[in-house]
Amino acid sequence: MYKDTLRGDPFCIHKKAYRRYKNYGFKGMINRLDTEFQKVNSVKLDENQIYNLWIEKNEIHIQETIELKYTPLISIVTPTYNTEKKYLVQMIESVLNQTYTNWELCIADDASTNQDTINTLKEYESKYQNIKITYRKKNGHISEASNSALELACGEYMILLDHDDMLAPNALYEMAKKLN
């Protein structure tokens, strides 16, 4: 993603950064990565860009070397209500971009009045077979909408994902790896 900005390999320090994460938390790790990146490239990136670089360099490479024997269907349960289009698209795209592919996204729209929300859901529903959507006629709030989405789910495992949250590309893979 940001390979063009790399002139050297600032992530040869990933072990040090991981130790820093264990000792000082996420902010400490990010500060370490940022400092090392600055030394090599003289480019300022935000925390998300640095973290994405670290994932690209380390976690995704590691996962390519590990083959899973057990690949259960994972159902992602999401209630929506008048979600702003950009957040809804980001959430759905983060699921579509998973490196683990045996999943289904089960969405219950809780009687949204925002036509952009409904149009966006219909667009994704028509394009992808593993995206299931129910459109509630009456607003029942987050609990009832979550239960409606759960009724669509067929997976062995369920996860809850809020309508404006995003998953890291390897989130489901890491979950499946632990199950193995």
Side-chain angles (χ1 to χ4, degrees):
M1 182 173 184
Y2 302 102
K3 289 177 183 163
D4 296 340
T5 63
L6 297 175
R7 281 182 262 147
D9 185 3
F11 297 102
C12 61
I13 52 87
H14 70 277
K15 289 180 184 175
K16 289 180 187 175
Y18 179 70
R19 279 194 301 270
R20 188 161 185 94
Y21 169 75
K22 284 174 44 179
N23 293 329
Y24 302 102
F26 184 73
K27 282 280 191 194
M29 181 188 74
I30 289 298
N31 289 338
R32 171 69 180 200
L33 291 172
D34 190 35
T35 300
E36 293 298 319
F37 190 83
Q38 299 282 335
K39 286 179 189 175
V40 175
N41 296 291
S42 302
V43 174
K44 181 71 174 158
L45 297 178
D46 66 30
E47 289 177 359
N48 289 334
Q49 292 169 317
I50 293 168
Y51 182 63
N52 287 337
L53 277 169
W54 188 85
I55 286 175
E56 185 177 304
K57 181 75 175 164
N58 296 289
E59 292 182 8
I60 293 174
H61 169 70
I62 291 167
Q63 116 181 15
E64 290 171 354
T65 64
I66 301 171
E67 189 174 320
L68 301 175
K69 293 178 183 168
Y70 175 54
T71 56
L73 178 63
I74 298 173
S75 298
I76 303 158
V77 176
T78 304
T80 63
Y81 177 73
N82 288 339
T83 309
E84 191 176 326
K85 181 176 180 168
K86 78 176 189 176
Y87 298 121
L88 186 57
V89 167
Q90 287 174 350
M91 181 275 294
I92 294 171
E93 290 293 330
S94 81
V95 174
L96 290 170
N97 291 325
Q98 290 299 297
T99 55
Y100 182 82
T101 57
N102 195 20
W103 55 263
E104 64 181 0
L105 177 58
C106 304
I107 300 173
D109 180 72
D110 200 22
S112 288
T113 55
N114 180 340
Q115 198 57 47
D116 272 351
T117 301
I118 295 165
N119 292 342
T120 301
L121 291 173
K122 288 184 187 253
E123 178 185 334
Y124 279 100
E125 180 182 30
S126 68
K127 283 185 186 177
Y128 301 96
Q129 289 183 333
N130 54 345
I131 296 179
K132 302 175 179 180
I133 302 175
T134 186
Y135 300 90
R136 295 175 45 81
K137 295 187 183 342
K138 182 180 176 196
N139 185 278
H141 306 287
I142 193 167
S143 294
E144 287 188 36
S146 296
N147 286 336
S148 294
L150 190 58
E151 288 174 8
L152 299 172
C154 298
E156 289 181 65
Y157 296 92
M158 313 290 164
I159 65 169
L160 298 172
L161 181 65
D162 203 12
H163 62 143
D164 57 357
D165 286 345
M166 294 172 31
L167 292 175
N170 62 327
L172 297 181
Y173 171 82
E174 290 296 327
M175 193 172 145
K177 187 169 82 171
K178 286 291 183 195
L179 292 169
N180 273 264

